[in-house]
Amino acid sequence: MKVNSAQFFKSSPRADMCPGSTIPEYAFIGRSNVGKSSLINMLTGRKGLAMTSSTPGKTMLINHFIINAQLPSNTTPDAVNAIIAPNGTKKGQGFFIVDLPGYGFALRGKREMDKLWSLISHYVLDRSQLTCLFVLIDIRLEPQKKDLDFFEFLGENGIPFSIIFTKADKLSRSKAMLNVKAYMDKLQEQWEELPPYFITSSTTRQGHDELLDYIDNINETLL
């Protein structure tokens, strides 16, 4: 799949304030500083679409980006129901990439962490438009408890998800593959069926075509 258009659509402080469309949503989440914004920019070909920051954990909202939608110019989020799939998904109406706040940022206070978790969990559990959740993992790290706990949460609630290993350019190919195998072996200790996974680099664009084709294949099954 080729990304022909990508634009910021809306930021929402709560899941119930997200766009009222019915088109598919592909959400991206991970621990802070995992490279989420850079990955979204790489996939869409828009360098500044998702804002990157040198300070981890800056995303505090649910950010929607509309991809490959045939929309009139100057369309506002309030007009989305009248334009985007009012009666179901159709060709030409695109899909959303959703940038969720990062989890597990240790420097946040408990109250702020609880607020973020409420935001994340309500979107993941209640958003019927969520088609697939992509969980980002830094390929350089050993399995982290916060990530494993999050996978368990998704499994317990039947949330469809895939894993994206980021920053593959930081390792040799052989070391990257060893780290991925170790991670998936760890998951297999508790999971009967492993989720799909992708190996990516925002610097070299590794995984760009594979991820977009994966999304495209899912979209085709929904039409």
Side-chain angles (χ1 to χ4, degrees):
M1 175 178 64
K2 182 179 180 181
V3 173
N4 297 311
S5 64
Q7 64 188 78
F8 170 77
F9 195 82
K10 184 182 181 182
S11 290
S12 307
R14 300 198 314 263
D16 60 3
M17 297 176 69
C18 289
S21 70
T22 58
I23 65 173
E25 297 186 1
Y26 297 87
F28 292 72
I29 193 170
R31 298 185 70 188
S32 298
N33 206 30
V34 75
K36 180 161 49 71
S37 297
S38 295
L39 179 69
I40 291 173
N41 293 339
M42 182 268 281
L43 289 175
T44 60
R46 294 279 304 278
K47 186 175 181 180
L49 185 66
M51 297 300 293
T52 59
S53 172
S54 59
T55 304
K58 292 289 285 185
T59 303
M60 297 287 289
L61 301 168
I62 301 171
N63 296 309
H64 278 71
F65 304 96
I66 186 72
I67 312 298
N68 288 355
Q70 299 173 2
L71 300 180
S73 60
N74 301 319
T75 301
T76 64
D78 291 338
V80 67
N81 278 333
I83 298 170
I84 301 179
N87 299 307
T89 302
K90 302 174 185 176
K91 277 188 176 294
Q93 293 176 312
F95 61 94
F96 280 120
I97 280 180
V98 183
D99 184 5
L100 293 174
Y103 60 84
F105 188 52
L107 296 184
R108 294 194 187 279
K110 184 180 185 305
R111 183 175 180 180
E112 195 172 18
M113 288 292 291
D114 289 345
K115 181 180 178 180
L116 271 179
W117 178 246
S118 177
L119 177 71
I120 292 167
S121 61
H122 276 91
Y123 175 86
V124 169
L125 296 177
D126 301 334
R127 186 70 174 166
S128 61
Q129 295 90 333
L130 176 61
T131 304
C132 183
L133 181 67
F134 291 106
V135 184
L136 277 60
I137 301 293
D138 189 328
I139 200 170
R140 300 171 297 179
L141 303 180
E142 295 181 354
Q144 306 289 304
K145 185 178 186 304
K146 287 186 180 294
D147 294 323
L148 298 175
D149 289 346
F150 188 63
F151 288 139
E152 185 174 352
F153 162 77
L154 296 177
E156 289 174 349
N157 289 281
I159 305 301
F161 73 96
S162 300
I163 298 174
I164 298 178
F165 292 97
T166 63
K167 306 184 180 183
D169 59 291
K170 305 296 184 182
L171 298 175
S172 67
R173 186 179 185 280
S174 59
K175 176 60 175 173
M177 296 306 297
L178 283 174
N179 283 12
V180 168
K181 184 180 185 306
Y183 209 105
M184 301 309 287
D185 286 347
K186 179 67 175 178
L187 288 182
Q188 201 159 30
E189 293 176 6
Q190 294 186 334
W191 290 73
E192 292 183 2
E193 184 177 350
L194 294 175
Y197 70 84
F198 302 87
I199 301 174
T200 69
S201 165
S202 298
T203 301
T204 67
R205 293 173 59 85
Q206 180 179 350
H208 173 274
D209 293 349
E210 291 84 354
L211 265 172
L212 289 180
D213 287 346
Y214 181 70
I215 291 173
D216 191 43
N217 288 335
I218 295 176
N219 285 339
E220 287 294 327
T221 68
L222 301 175
L223 294 174

